[in-house]
Amino acid sequence: MYAAVKVLHLVLTSNIMCDRLMQHIFGYQILAFLLRKNTSLLNHRVFQLILSIAGTAELGFGSSTITNVGVFQHILCDFELWMNTVDNLDLSLFSHLVEILRSPREGPRNAEVAHQAQLIPKLIFLFNEPGLTPSKIPTIMAILHCQLRGHFSIQDLLRVAVFVVYTLKPSSVDERQICMDGAPGYSVPAGSQTSGKTIWLRNQLLEMLLSVISSSQLHLSSEMKEEVFLSLGPDWFLLFLQGHLHSSTTVLGLKLLLHFLSSPNLLTRFKDGLYAGSWVECSSKGVHIMMDNLKNHVPMPDQSPCLIPGFRVLNDFLAHHVHIPDVYLIVSTFFLQTPLTELTGGTKDSLDAALQWILQKHHTEEVLRSGLCAEGALLLLQMLKATMSQPLTGSGDGAWEQTFPASVLQFLTLVHSTYPQDPAWRAPEFLQTLAAITFPLQTHKGVTTESAQNASSPGTEAEGDSIAEGLQMSDKSHPTRKQLRVFLQLLLRELLIAAPSTKQCLPLEVLLEASPDNATSQQKQEFQSEILLSAMEIFHVMSGSDMSMFRGNKEPQPNTEAAAAASSLMNISHFTQKLVEKLYSGMFSADPRHILLFITEHIMVVIENASSQRDTVISALYSSLNKVILYCLSKPQQSLSECLSLLSILEFLQEHWDIIFATYNSNSSFLLCIMHCLFLLSARSYPEGFGLEPKPRMTPYHQVFLSPNEEVREKRMDDFPSLSDVQHSIQKMVQMLWQQLMAQRRQELEDTFKTDLSVKPGEREVKIEEVTPLWEEMMLKAWQHYLASEKKSLASRLSVGHHSKVTSWSGSLSSAMRLIPGRPIKDPECKTEDFVSCIENYRRRGQELYAYLYKDYIQRRRCGNVKAAKAWAQIQEQLFGELGLWRHPAEVTPCSQWELDWREGPARMRKRLRCLSPLESLSAENFKESQDINGDVSQTNAENKDELTPKEAESERVEMAADCTQLTFFPALHESQHSEDFLELCRERQVILQELLDHEKVTQKYSLVIVQGHLISEGLLLFGHQHFYICENFTLSPVGDVYCTRHCLSNISDPFIFNLCSKDRCSDHYSCQRHSYGDLRELRQARFLLQDIALEIFFQNGYSKFFVFHNSDRSKVFKSFCSFQPSLKGKSIIEEPINLRKYPGSDRTMLQRWQKRDISNFEYLMHLNTIAGRTYNDYMQYPVFPWVLADYTSQTLNLTNPKTFRDLSKPMGAQTKERKLKFIQRFKEVEKTEGDMTVQCHYCTHYSSAIIIASYLVRMPPFTQAFCSLQGGSFDVADRMFHSIKNAWESASRENMSDVRELTPEFFYLPEFLTNCNAVEFGCMQDGTALGDVQLPPWADEDPQKFISLHRQALESDFVSANLHHWIDLIFGYKQQGSAAVEAVNTFHPYFYGDKMDLNSISDPLIRNTILGFVSNFGQVPKQLFTKPHPARTAAGKPSSGKDVSTPLSLPSHPQPFFYSLQSLRPSQVTVKGSESPKGAIGHIVPTEKTILAVEKNKVLLPPLWNRTFSWGFDDFSCCLGNYGSDKILMTFENLAAWGRCLCAVCPSPTTIITSGASTVVCVWELNAAKGRPRGLHLKQALYGHTQAVTCLAASVTFSILVSGSQDCTCILWDLDHLTHVARLPAHQEGISAMAISDISGTIVSCAGAHLSLWNVNGQPLANITTAWGPEGAITCCCMMEGPAWDSSHVIITGSRDGIVRIWKTEDVKMSVPGLVAPQEPSAQPASLRGHRWEKNLALCRELDISVALTGKPSKTSIAVTALAMSRNQTKLLVGDEKGRIFCWSAEG
């Protein structure tokens, strides 16, 4: 291990190219995979070597910057790898990471690399590893701290935040009792103290976050800090302040929150309210869970976002933690605007001492600058309230319930004395909260008389004693209550004294409205009465009097300066008005006499004051006094207490007569009103009261609040007066007051109203009974006016008060948030429970998110593991395979298994063969064709399980750790998250996951059936953004999730199709293919089992897929494909075959082109098959071709004799008269009976069926397996199998009444299917002959290639061309069905016709299955394309023998190809105009429709526009992209220089460039472009196989092959799609100098020196020849004349160093000795195709010498030919030489 890693180290450090290659081949992932397989061999020496590769091993001595990101990301950051080592290398790794991240110089750069390597997510997921011990946690915390500090990322922070939430338990689990004494023991078993370990881990992470956020080295800007806070959201912090959590977590959570809230902007936003769940949303952004692509996500109902009023919820949460001293310290520090980092001094002995310490340490300047934090003060008050509401446990004076409030209050008092002018003390919320704590709502025992609307509201007590006792108990309920009142009065006094503004009563208003919304009216009355009495006392103290009588035994308050009293005159005025207002609204329930006393005494004070405002204030005070007097006199007087109260008021009037009725109080309306009151009282008219509408009866204030002394109590109990005595006293007092009033004011009144008072004018005294009626009326009107005005003002006050109460909710929502347009004002109704529920909901969502993230991490690890294993297997194959560096000679044996490749070439011909690897051919699965034919394919087969055994073991281990609901370091969550246990069982889905690209999002899923030949399997089609995925043997569950067919019931509703799928199902074969939408060429809607439910998709590279939709999804899929690839919309279903030779005006239809002989018979027949729905993918509707010959006995084939041909106007059943009559007789004998399965027809079998196809092609896989499958698992009897062309013809044309089969396309282009190239044992026939190759007619000379060639010539012959339209009428035309078919003896069983059978109308499943079974076994009639007779083909002229009649040689409109005029060829020089003229030897010639393009050597033109050039050969080994005809370079590619000198290049497509040269490596590059401009070359694949410099390259897109030739004398065939090795051609005698590939036949030409060789498309030798002797005869270039595809002869043109162009043609020669052209080394071609009696020979047709043609004599100096090209119509040969000249050879000259 050490030696191997050492070598890798040397290699990677020696050349930067090696690191690029490692990245390209996923080398670092493979290395990690190999290390995982060999963890037992890892030690410290290997670890140090890996650090050296990463570049960080030189700590302390040199740079420790990470230089190799791949090693760091995939190996060092693969912590699970190091966790399993024996030497605890993980600890060494952790320590190393801390060191390189802490480095002051390289730390930030390393942190940036670590961020890209996903260091923090990987470390977080490490907490789920079972092998992680607590001893490693501190080091991991150090890594996290250094990483976040070195490269701060909100996304990384969120990942930590989500995990911290994942450690939280639901509120049902109480953590508060768990003991936390530091870190858990290192040897603690995993099962014990799990909760303690969880809390400890959580706290470690929170401490780490706090230290990072508050780190002075991080320098977070205020904007970034705000972004972090808003990303986390308020609810994330509040989660850690819930009541059930451990106190240590709460303290850390509060520190984090208040650290952020030290920012004023964030404080305001937190107070105003922020939406919850931001941390979940932000953490989910950009996250792509792979498994989500396989699940059906039901859209969640849009939940209205929850607005969290921060401080309101925080107050509620902190109420659970009032017993924690640290909470007070943190909030106090926040209140004093001091950074929380100041708290590091340690906890003091007591809370008192700690608060004193904070007060000494706080930042005074900060407070003076920005003031105290009002929200901090509120938090302290709310905690004070919560503490004081705790029931006293009686545990002594030292209990925290008693000491904490006292300490906090003392702290507030000290802060107030330090900063008395701070605005925080005047904040309305602060005053409200303080008042609410000082005078809490009381709940009294007794019978409730309130309405039942609030059952929990306290009621009133009929008896006053118990209520009074309750009040006394409330006063004594908490020792701190008294201090609170003192503190409140202190604040209120300062507020009332501070500023004599007209709005000075605003604080008083705030205090009066401080009662909670849920308080009852009585509770509000009591509360406001308390506040008003306190204010009255304060004003009285300000006036210099002692009014302690108001409140019983009160301590005397300190006197204030006289100046303060003088400045508060207006305040007194406003206050008295407020008193009267509260009295009238029923909210002041004390004895009104106290108000009268308060006002009268303040009137005296004001009168004595010489202020300029005196008169105004006196007037206001008297107005208030008058209102109170009238209110009191008009109250009810029914009960004893009411009468006593009235009496006391009357006595008060008597006592203070001089003040009340002084000259200042001269309001005549008041006098009339008081006279009215005395009048009514005297008459005792309204004992129930005659004032405003009476309020609900309330207990008088003096019975509730005032505590009478013992003397009064005794009096009430023993010597209480009776009601009648009191009423008598009232009458007496009324008379006295009336007389006194009359004595003083009679004259004034009579003067004012000009009317006598008494009915006796006169009398000196006016008795109350003698008032005149007129005065009575005036008094009544004055009283009514007074009542009306008071009612109006009261109503307006109530409405305003109610509105302000609603809109000025005292919660944490600001006015800005409350006034959002359209936002319903429901905020006051939100309860804390709603917020808790919202926060809990997001906690669950966050924990589910983490579980998904962890599962996704495990899935990606597993996918990476599988990919690495596959990549390693491919590398092993490259190293030890046929082209491998360490291949063993014993292994280089001819390939034993060949298979037909599904790729279609020109005219849909499938010529390519695929060599099966030994693994595939030996596999038990070789009867099931491999699916890796296109795109990137993943599959799990039985054969690769041995290879990946270590991976499987690793996967098992990962699987155990992957259960994300059972965490290992901390306990399982006690909630049922979305369980996916069953989902996880389906590991086969890994096949799909590993194909999904990063950030892929599957948007649509469709269930379908995939048909490929005889194999029919259930599958899925997944649509992603850029790719779609074809998944075999997968299905959708009822809820829409993806499963394999083993773990989920089938989704196929059609029972017959389901049975077809089950028939050949291979349970462990699961595959997924990924395709780009740009790969699509065409879509065709098709039929399957006579139903229009299929869709065939064709790819650009010649492959196709056949999908069957059993659930009516076809149209949706069709639209989806068109939406992703809009170019498919405009494509006609009748698509022209690709790569056809096109002539001017090629917009003619295929029919017209066939008639005019623009296309061949074969091409036209294939076109008709395609549009009729015939496809290679479904053997039940395989393309149909006709028997064209009837002569299979002659020695030579005469294509001019009509008897040689079959009668194309008749079907196979009517080729002989006798057979025709028999079929007609059968037709007549069948009775046409309704419901009978036998109906009138000529044939009960078909001319094309799956078994017919498989029997024809049985020698060529995959048809070998198909035949066995259709035959029940074994081959048929040898004599019944297809073994002779002649016998097959005779059976189908005359002998067998059940055989009317036609042929397949392969009979006209594929010789390989006629030979048993894989040596399959088919058995022996009756005569003992082993069944092997197909017996060919005598005229084929036992040569399959000759048979195919002659057979194709027959198809293209004049006779067939003239009669083929008759056969088209039978198969695709009007004779296919109906009366014309009957007449032509061409009717088949009705079940074979899709148009006649409406399967949807058949309800009986038995009948339906019978019909479908009949069709699947016997075949289907193609779609009818023509309903009228098909037109005949245009007659040919007089083509010469063997001439390509498919090319329009005989038509006058087409010029003659030059090959037929070799002797008349004449040269003419071609000039390339202007700057486009090549500067040296010609390297590449491209003839276009109108002109000729040419570039010099080391340049190549890029298709299809040929307007750009790719050039190489520069001194710095770089390559360039330029514009044709210009010296301007568009882009230089310097990355090619690392591959050494480039010697050759080829550009098969606009985006693909292939280069090679001295490095021996063939590099395939992808040209990236944006908006038409090149952006760079990206290496797609490096192909290894040559041992010396590669000198030439040739490519054919049509056949998707690439051929490379090298100085090592070898040529290698590569697959241009998959970029894999296909075959190595036998060694040549010299290094390869030139190559060419035919786009029509696929024939390959290779030239080595003077040697010329021909090979077919599969690399099998066709012919070779030595063209000349000596170095001058060496071939420098070559090309092919593109003849007809069916012509077995080839025309090759070579150019030599001697300047001569030679034209060669192949001829068939009968060899006396077989196998004359034996290869130099064992070949990889089928053995049965070698050593035939007929071989091809290359014959020289003509030599073209430009010197002789021009001058008549050869030149003395040879000018080498360097480039050759044929014009598009094959009439001109273009020759370029090393002097830069281009000559055109043609018959015209």
Side-chain angles (χ1 to χ4, degrees), residues 128 143 306 343 415 449 531 745 803 1188 1306 1346 1407 1696:
N128 297 57
I143 299 173
C306 178
L343 285 176
V415 176
T449 58
I531 300 295
R745 297 294 178 96
H803 178 70
V1188 293
E1306 287 79 6
K1346 185 173 182 181
I1407 296 177
S1696 306

Side-chain angles (χ1 to χ4, degrees), residues 1218-1233:
E1218 298 81 6
R1219 201 168 185 231
K1220 177 180 178 181
L1221 292 173
K1222 288 181 182 179
F1223 282 122
I1224 293 173
Q1225 185 64 26
R1226 175 190 288 179
F1227 182 87
K1228 292 178 179 178
E1229 288 174 354
V1230 176
E1231 292 183 1
K1232 203 171 185 179
T1233 56

Side-chain angles (χ1 to χ4, degrees), residues 469-733:
E469 288 170 9
L471 177 65
Q472 289 176 325
M473 286 303 294
S474 71
D475 276 338
K476 296 176 183 176
S477 63
H478 204 285
T480 317
R481 194 79 68 195
K482 188 174 179 181
Q483 291 173 261
L484 270 169
R485 289 185 175 177
V486 173
F487 184 62
L488 177 62
Q489 288 187 345
L490 175 66
L491 286 178
L492 196 53
R493 181 181 299 112
E494 289 195 355
L495 290 170
L496 295 173
I497 291 172
S501 111
T502 56
K503 296 185 178 179
Q504 186 55 47
C505 281
L506 181 60
L508 185 63
E509 292 273 9
V510 168
L511 289 172
L512 289 172
E513 297 301 326
S515 59
D517 293 338
N518 60 350
T520 63
S521 56
Q522 181 185 351
Q523 288 171 330
K524 291 179 181 178
Q525 183 190 49
E526 294 167 357
F527 178 80
Q528 294 192 12
S529 299
E530 282 277 6
I531 300 295
L532 291 169
L533 286 171
S534 298
M536 287 164 68
E537 285 185 14
I538 291 168
F539 273 111
H540 224 65
V541 170
M542 288 162 54
S543 304
S545 305
D546 181 14
M547 290 197 62
S548 59
M549 55 171 284
F550 277 54
R551 298 299 302 266
N553 296 326
K554 279 281 182 182
E555 295 180 5
Q557 300 294 330
N559 288 328
T560 53
E561 294 85 351
S567 66
S568 62
L569 289 178
M570 293 305 293
N571 292 345
I572 292 170
S573 171
H574 287 299
F575 178 67
T576 54
Q577 290 176 9
K578 179 57 66 177
L579 275 174
V580 174
E581 179 187 318
K582 289 297 178 185
L583 179 68
Y584 268 74
S585 60
M587 298 311 291
F588 184 81
S589 57
D591 192 341
R593 179 171 173 159
H594 298 323
I595 299 180
L596 294 172
L597 276 170
F598 177 81
I599 297 175
T600 52
E601 293 193 8
H602 276 85
I603 286 174
M604 294 172 65
V605 172
V606 174
I607 289 173
E608 294 169 3
N609 194 304
S611 169
S612 61
Q613 297 178 337
R614 187 182 69 169
D615 293 344
T616 307
V617 174
I618 287 175
S619 174
L621 288 176
Y622 268 114
S623 175
S624 299
L625 179 67
N626 296 344
K627 289 181 180 180
V628 177
I629 292 170
L630 295 177
Y631 175 82
C632 295
L633 292 180
S634 61
K635 284 176 66 178
Q637 49 209 291
Q638 292 174 321
S639 67
L640 177 60
S641 60
E642 290 170 347
C643 290
L644 283 171
S645 176
L646 177 61
L647 182 61
S648 68
I649 297 298
L650 294 172
E651 289 171 351
F652 178 86
L653 293 177
Q654 177 70 33
E655 291 170 14
H656 298 83
W657 183 268
D658 293 342
I659 299 173
I660 296 169
F661 292 99
T663 55
Y664 291 104
N665 191 9
S666 58
N667 188 323
S668 57
S669 296
F670 166 66
L671 291 175
L672 288 174
C673 287
I674 198 169
M675 287 167 63
H676 180 72
C677 290
L678 293 174
F679 183 79
L680 292 181
L681 288 173
S682 171
R684 295 178 65 182
S685 302
Y686 295 97
E688 72 279 4
F690 49 85
L692 297 177
E693 285 188 16
K695 292 281 177 184
R697 297 295 301 274
M698 297 182 186
T699 307
Y701 178 79
H702 67 271
Q703 294 182 14
V704 178
F705 285 89
L706 299 183
S707 177
N709 55 32
E710 294 301 319
E711 297 166 341
V712 176
R713 187 181 292 265
E714 288 174 10
K715 182 179 178 183
R716 286 178 60 194
M717 293 170 62
D718 303 328
D719 305 324
F720 223 80
S722 67
L723 179 62
S724 59
D725 293 342
V726 176
Q727 288 173 343
H728 180 71
S729 301
I730 289 172
Q731 290 295 319
K732 194 174 178 182
M733 186 60 70

Side-chain angles (χ1 to χ4, degrees), residues 996-1011:
L996 295 176
L997 294 179
D998 284 342
H999 307 299
E1000 181 65 279
K1001 185 168 180 63
V1002 172
T1003 56
Q1004 300 170 55
K1005 307 183 193 76
Y1006 293 102
S1007 180
L1008 46 77
V1009 171
I1010 302 169
V1011 178

Side-chain angles (χ1 to χ4, degrees), residues 1092-1235:
D1092 206 18
I1093 55 174
L1095 181 70
E1096 191 166 18
I1097 61 175
F1098 296 87
F1099 296 98
Q1100 301 283 5
N1101 58 9
Y1103 288 111
S1104 60
K1105 286 287 181 184
F1106 194 87
F1107 299 145
V1108 176
F1109 297 90
H1110 47 84
N1111 49 9
S1112 306
D1113 281 340
R1114 184 178 72 169
S1115 59
K1116 297 178 189 174
V1117 170
F1118 192 91
K1119 289 177 183 176
S1120 296
F1121 273 125
C1122 292
S1123 66
F1124 284 111
Q1125 183 68 9
S1127 62
L1128 293 172
K1129 291 180 184 175
K1131 290 209 172 184
S1132 168
I1133 291 298
I1134 305 175
E1135 175 85 359
E1136 287 188 6
I1138 58 170
N1139 291 299
L1140 290 173
R1141 293 187 305 280
K1142 296 181 179 178
Y1143 300 96
S1146 60
D1147 54 349
R1148 290 167 289 184
T1149 64
M1150 292 293 281
L1151 170 59
Q1152 291 170 333
R1153 292 179 63 194
W1154 173 73
Q1155 283 182 285
K1156 296 182 180 180
R1157 299 176 178 255
D1158 285 356
I1159 59 173
S1160 64
N1161 290 335
F1162 182 92
E1163 288 170 316
Y1164 185 58
L1165 287 177
M1166 186 57 79
H1167 168 72
L1168 293 180
N1169 272 284
T1170 302
I1171 61 175
R1174 311 301 285 189
T1175 170
Y1176 287 125
N1177 289 298
D1178 182 7
Y1179 292 170
M1180 291 184 275
Q1181 36 187 353
Y1182 206 77
V1184 186
F1185 270 67
W1187 288 94
V1188 293
L1189 294 173
D1191 180 5
Y1192 296 99
T1193 55
S1194 304
Q1195 292 297 319
T1196 57
L1197 190 63
N1198 184 2
L1199 296 181
T1200 59
N1201 184 1
K1203 293 184 178 179
T1204 304
F1205 298 93
R1206 160 251 178 112
D1207 187 348
L1208 289 167
S1209 64
K1210 297 175 182 175
M1212 288 302 294
Q1215 289 297 309
T1216 63
K1217 287 184 179 179
E1218 298 81 6
R1219 201 168 185 231
K1220 177 180 178 181
L1221 292 173
K1222 288 181 182 179
F1223 282 122
I1224 293 173
Q1225 185 64 26
R1226 175 190 288 179
F1227 182 87
K1228 292 178 179 178
E1229 288 174 354
V1230 176
E1231 292 183 1
K1232 203 171 185 179
T1233 56
E1234 191 66 32

Side-chain angles (χ1 to χ4, degrees), residues 379-419:
L379 288 175
L380 284 172
L381 285 182
Q382 291 287 359
M383 291 168 65
L384 197 65
K385 179 181 179 181
T387 312
M388 293 173 66
S389 64
Q390 297 278 341
L392 292 175
T393 57
S395 54
D397 293 339
W400 67 268
E401 294 95 335
Q402 296 189 18
T403 59
F404 282 12
S407 300
V408 172
L409 199 56
Q410 183 182 0
F411 172 73
L412 286 172
T413 308
L414 288 171
V415 176
H416 178 265
S417 64
T418 310
Y419 307 103

